[in-house]
Amino acid sequence: MNENLTALIPEMALLGTAVLGLLAGSWLPRRRQWIVAVLAAAACTTALIATALTMTGGREQTVFSHTFAIDTATDVGRLIVLGALLLVIAMSVETVRGHRREAEYWVLLLLSGGGTLAMIGANDLLMLFAAYLLASIPAYALAGFAKDARGTEAALKYYLMGALLGTTMLAGTALLYGAGHATLYRQLRAALPAAPYGLVAVGLIATLAGLLFKAGAVPAHFWVPDVTDGAPTPIAAYVTTLPKIGALIAVYRLLHQALAGSGVNWPLLLAILAAVTMTLGNLAAFFQTSVKRLLAYSTISQVGYLLMALAVATRTDVAQRGLLVYLAAYAATNIAVFAVATELPHAHTLADYRGLARDRPGLAGVLVVCLLGLVGTPPTGVFLGKLEVFTATVNGGYTWLAALAVANTVASLFYYLRWLAPVFSISRPATVGDHTVLGRWAAASAYTAATLSLLLGIAGGALLPLTTGPLLP
């Protein structure tokens, strides 16, 4: 049994620092609890360096009796999660500075981030469910961190849906275990083709329920608008970005490694879910006036596009590359937009952004790049991601789904332009929210994330080989 703990440095760095931060926060005075934020950033940096070394060294392996895989999908997923977590930490600095629970905030972020990393590499049903819990429970507390009425309601809805669908997921893993007499993916791959079809189908659907909840996909999407609107803006950025990365890579690995020969027509199921998710997200976003609720429905539509890669996971080699590139581009672009919303704490509606180009041209530029980037406009990273995913979908035999995705992409331009139009308006009535900025850290996050989005679009072609490689059995 391979128990090489050095292969798990990224996960141990986050979880170990979370424990250290909790102890330090218990003793540090309130004015010194920013030290825990420095520890959190150092942990992410350490984990990024360790991941980069693993990728350059080519040390692909499985650990703990093959229950956790370190391969291309794991390494790229780690880079995306850790980079996004660093940006969320930076954009949170002014929001939680001096808060009486500041240390706990950073600890919860690290714990949930560690759970997300564990989901990415999970190669066993029990490991997957344990990672799901670790990623979810701290996030419930973060959603209600402000302890106001909206935050409490958001946390309650988040928790209740998570508990319900988490229980459903546990039941699904039990059914898959009963069908295949194993929890390890490679053993299920060999056993499930001979198992009863109905048992495997129900077990898979129940297991997917929990993972689709984490991703915010239909029909497990109802929590997304309320949590995004009620949680502090940096946490809204977190829950609409990082859990999606962990959940979607986890679903890809589960389908590719365990269900490839099961006989269950899960590609059609995922294709239908992708079509419904992207369409519902776009339609619901059309007439939103709240910035955070518009972004919430935007993230739902983005998940629909990402699910296309999962529908063709075993039908084309381009699927993994498209999924990873799209996830990286989406993470940078989505966080940049939320960072702008964090930097402008008094701008809650689209009308409040009227005249922003005149008052804050830098932030307006970030919005232009990233909102058009979410549409899939070149040369942003999302354009490259969509191009790869659409190509994989056509290669996988779902041309109708790619055509629907193109139509949804064109339709999404409407509500993104509804936000950009007031940004370049010349007049700003006194009744409209002001453009007072929060501080330099949130702005730095916005500029950095927007730059990354552009770089992924411009130089992404050179990085494509890094996203290709077989999943370890």
Side-chain angles (χ1 to χ4, degrees), residues 17 21-22 24-25 28 32-41 103 106-107 110:
T17 304
L22 188 61
L28 289 170
R32 300 291 186 190
Q33 292 198 357
W34 57 266
I35 294 174
V36 183
V38 175
L39 291 175
W106 306 118
V107 168
L110 289 173

Side-chain angles (χ1 to χ4, degrees), residues 346-347 349 351-355 358-359 425-436:
H346 303 294
T349 66
D352 291 336
Y353 282 76
R354 186 176 299 276
R358 180 192 60 192
D359 298 341
S425 176
I426 299 176
S427 62
R428 181 162 66 89
T431 55
V432 172
D434 63 52
H435 298 152
T436 304

Side-chain angles (χ1 to χ4, degrees), residues 55-402:
M55 295 180 71
T56 55
R59 292 174 289 183
E60 297 179 339
Q61 58 189 302
T62 57
V63 296
F64 299 127
S65 298
H66 310 289
T67 60
F68 192 89
I70 296 96
D71 51 25
T72 300
T74 305
D75 286 332
V76 176
R78 281 171 167 175
L79 290 179
I80 300 170
V81 168
L82 293 167
L85 187 56
L86 263 178
L87 290 171
V88 171
I89 289 172
M91 65 188 285
S92 301
V93 169
E94 286 97 1
T95 301
V96 298
R97 178 181 294 162
H99 196 284
R100 59 192 179 92
R101 297 189 305 279
E102 181 179 356
E104 288 91 327
Y105 180 91
W106 306 118
V107 168
L108 290 170
L109 270 182
L110 289 173
L111 289 174
S112 186
T116 302
L117 293 184
M119 289 179 67
I120 289 172
N123 206 31
D124 178 272
L125 291 176
L126 294 181
M127 172 68 77
L128 178 62
F129 185 69
Y132 169 89
L133 291 178
L134 182 56
S136 299
I137 295 174
Y140 302 150
L142 286 170
F145 188 79
K147 297 189 74 173
D148 54 11
R150 289 197 308 164
T152 302
E153 180 184 356
L156 184 60
K157 290 181 178 179
Y158 197 16
Y159 165 72
L160 290 176
M161 284 205 68
L164 172 63
L165 296 174
T167 304
T168 305
M169 179 181 175
L170 182 59
T173 61
L175 291 175
L176 290 178
Y177 172 75
H181 305 288
T183 57
L184 198 64
Y185 288 176
R186 67 176 183 178
Q187 295 175 356
L188 289 172
R189 186 187 185 101
L192 290 181
Y197 179 90
L199 189 61
V200 177
V202 175
L204 173 61
I205 291 172
T207 303
L208 287 177
L211 296 173
L212 292 178
F213 159 76
K214 294 300 294 178
V218 173
H221 68 286
F222 294 102
W223 62 273
V224 179
D226 292 322
V227 173
T228 304
D229 194 34
T233 307
I235 297 305
Y238 178 89
V239 299
T240 58
T241 307
L242 273 79
K244 295 185 189 321
I245 301 168
L248 291 170
I249 295 178
V251 174
Y252 181 86
R253 190 183 297 277
L254 173 65
L255 297 175
H256 191 280
Q257 299 297 84
L259 277 299
S262 64
V264 177
N265 193 5
W266 53 261
L268 179 59
L269 171 65
L270 268 296
I272 293 172
L273 289 177
V276 175
T277 300
M278 69 175 76
T279 304
L280 186 147
N282 280 326
L283 291 178
F286 269 10
F287 301 106
Q288 294 294 326
T289 57
S290 166
V291 163
K292 292 172 73 173
R293 295 189 80 87
L294 184 149
L295 286 174
Y297 287 110
S298 167
T299 65
I300 293 172
S301 70
Q302 296 293 329
V303 173
Y305 304 128
L306 288 159
L307 286 175
M308 295 165 60
L310 304 185
V312 295
T314 57
R315 297 187 172 201
T316 173
D317 295 334
V318 187
Q320 176 180 308
R321 186 175 70 189
L323 175 65
L324 296 177
V325 171
Y326 200 147
L327 282 173
Y330 166 75
T333 310
N334 192 58
I335 286 177
V337 179
F338 272 103
V340 173
T342 303
E343 180 71 352
L344 300 170
H346 303 294
H348 304 295
T349 66
L350 301 184
D352 291 336
Y353 282 76
R354 186 176 299 276
L356 181 66
R358 180 192 60 192
D359 298 341
R360 308 288 177 184
L363 296 179
V366 171
L367 280 181
V368 171
V369 169
C370 294
L371 291 179
L372 293 180
L374 288 173
V375 177
T377 306
T380 59
V382 174
F383 168 75
L384 180 61
K386 281 192 174 183
L387 183 62
E388 291 292 323
V389 169
F390 290 4
T391 302
T393 304
V394 173
N395 291 346
Y398 284 112
T399 306
W400 65 268
L401 182 58

